[in-house]
Amino acid sequence: MVKYQDQTLDRTFAALADPTRRALLARLGERNGLSVSELAQPFAMSLPAIMKHLEVLSDAGLIAREKTGRTVACRLTARPMEQAMNWLNRYAQFWSDNLDRLAAFVEDNPWPTAPQPTPASPRAQASPSRAASARGRKKSTPRGPTRKT
């Protein structure tokens, strides 16, 4: 197992795991430099909850916050996302190569086709256990006496 000394990648993926945080990043991607209240506007949650999400994004290095007077503006930072994309691209290349080799193998070595079974009589298709149980079927015993209360 590969162990990373740097926790940046782990924090990036942990931050991206939440749909609200991804939506916040998408809003910043559309219009960079939004204030916290502008970011929070379309979400049905409290401002403190949005602040917690922004704190996670900030800790992961995905956003930078700048305070001007009483207004806190947020902007995207690219470096952690670039590291995550590089990591994902290595695995995409790995799987692409493996799937290409598998496709080439399947095209070069087609599976043999199995001969189609010939239709048989319905009696011959029954399994031996079913045929045996049909012959030796026991009849149920008569119902016992009922109790009257």
Side-chain angles (χ1 to χ4, degrees):
M1 176 182 261
V2 177
K3 299 222 178 193
Y4 294 99
Q5 300 296 327
D6 188 10
Q7 298 291 321
T8 305
L9 196 60
D10 293 340
R11 284 191 307 236
T12 300
F13 282 119
L16 293 173
D18 185 81
T20 302
R21 291 192 284 267
R22 290 192 306 269
L24 288 167
L25 290 173
R27 283 190 46 101
L28 285 172
E30 293 168 1
R31 203 173 122 206
N32 212 3
L34 291 173
S35 70
V36 172
S37 58
E38 289 172 325
L39 269 173
Q41 183 185 7
F43 296 98
M45 62 177 64
S46 66
L47 192 57
I50 293 291
M51 293 295 291
K52 287 181 182 181
H53 283 295
L54 292 175
E55 184 69 30
V56 172
L57 292 170
S58 182
D59 287 346
L62 292 167
I63 65 168
R65 294 188 279 187
E66 298 169 358
K67 189 171 184 177
T68 307
R70 292 176 49 179
T71 305
V72 178
C74 299
R75 63 179 173 79
L76 288 175
T77 55
R79 188 161 188 255
M81 196 66 85
E82 288 171 355
Q83 291 173 339
M85 286 303 300
N86 290 338
W87 186 84
L88 288 170
N89 286 335
R90 280 188 286 154
Y91 286 96
Q93 185 63 44
F94 168 78
W95 284 110
S96 179
D97 292 345
N98 281 338
L99 290 174
D100 289 345
R101 283 197 302 269
L102 177 62
F105 175 79
V106 169
E107 289 170 0
D108 292 344
N109 304 309
W111 289 93
T113 57
Q116 296 296 325
T118 57
S121 68
R123 193 80 161 138
Q125 288 180 351
S127 66
S129 61
R130 183 168 181 208
S133 63
R135 278 182 275 140
R137 183 176 295 156
K138 295 181 180 180
K139 296 185 179 185
S140 62
T141 58
R143 194 169 167 191
T146 58
R147 296 173 78 182
K148 293 183 182 179
T149 52

